[in-house]
Amino acid sequence: MRTLELDAPGWTDHRAGQHLDVRLTAEDGYQAQRSYSIASAPGDGIALTVERLEDGEVSPYLVDEVREGDQVEVRGPVGGYFVWDGDEPEPVLLVAGGSGVVPLMAMARQRARVGSETPMRLVYSSRTWDDVVFRDELETLGVDVVHTLTREQPPGWTGYSRRIDAELLADVAWPASESPRVYVCGSTRFVDAAADGLLALGYDAGWIRTERFGATG
Amino acid sequence: MIGIAELRLDGNAVGGLLGELFGVDLTAMPCTCEGCGAREQMACLDVYVGAGIVVRCCHCDAVMVRIVQGRGRTWLDLRGVASLELEE
């Protein structure tokens, strides 16, 4: 993972949860484009936290190659659906699979930035403790964080150690009676499992906003 | 090998392109399927990205939108969309 800070003249300030498209053009004219979520809160610049995907076309360049001062082509901010502005009254449940935490981090940062007292809980599935992105900062934002580590747990780990399913969500999600707003971001398989689990708890499909990221980077 | 199910994205993935074509962000805009009549926000639809882009109804799987880009132009086929609601 690497966080890149972009300076984009003429940029319209983004909303928490939005993404942008990055387009790279090779010398022979070949172009590759991918979407990346914005990790920073609105008003706090554009920070992209990018996961390097093996065999990817864009992410290895962004993580390993790009240097300060380099230019990339971007389009955005994009999205009016997977967004949270900070003034919505309902409690918020964020459900992250791996690097799906990035747009949810923008929401957690936005909550802290605007001084919102809306209850916010993040359920965050990672493979190992070392894979947890924003691990230290997450403890400082006033958001309840529930980790599950699906592949390997550190010695003495007392948290969850399985994939997010209906049973785990039943333990940690807000009761359906509170009509929470939910944002789920991760791989397609992760998002489907989490959304199914929430529907099984009696959540209304309209409360659940999802964003899937692709298997190619 | 990546299975077809894992290649399924959602309408967020085409938000940038559609925003450029229409001049307005469509991801939260309701879109009605010509096949089954379901009305969903664009972000909820199923999207497959390959040589072109195919947007399918998340209820009946009908093809709603096809987009192909090349030779300096964009082909946009909206035959599977009964209506697209744009906010004023």
Side-chain angles (χ1 to χ4, degrees), chain B residues 4-27:
Chain B
I4 189 79
E6 284 159 77
L7 289 176
R8 176 164 57 90
L9 298 175
D10 56 42
N12 294 299
V14 288
L17 174 59
L18 291 175
E20 193 169 301
L21 295 175
F22 285 80
V24 58
D25 194 298
L26 293 185
T27 53

Side-chain angles (χ1 to χ4, degrees), chain B residues 21-77:
Chain B
L21 295 175
F22 285 80
V24 58
D25 194 298
L26 293 185
T27 53
M29 305 298 178
C31 196
T32 301
C33 173
E34 174 69 22
C36 72
R39 179 175 176 271
E40 285 286 354
Q41 288 164 292
M42 182 67 78
C44 300
L45 302 178
D46 292 340
V47 169
Y48 298 87
V49 179
I53 294 166
V54 174
V55 180
R56 286 179 177 269
C57 175
C58 53
H59 296 280
C60 76
D61 217 29
V63 174
M64 296 177 68
V65 183
R66 281 179 283 210
I67 308 168
V68 174
Q69 291 186 294
R71 287 180 284 168
R73 58 179 64 186
T74 299
W75 285 262
L76 179 62
D77 176 347

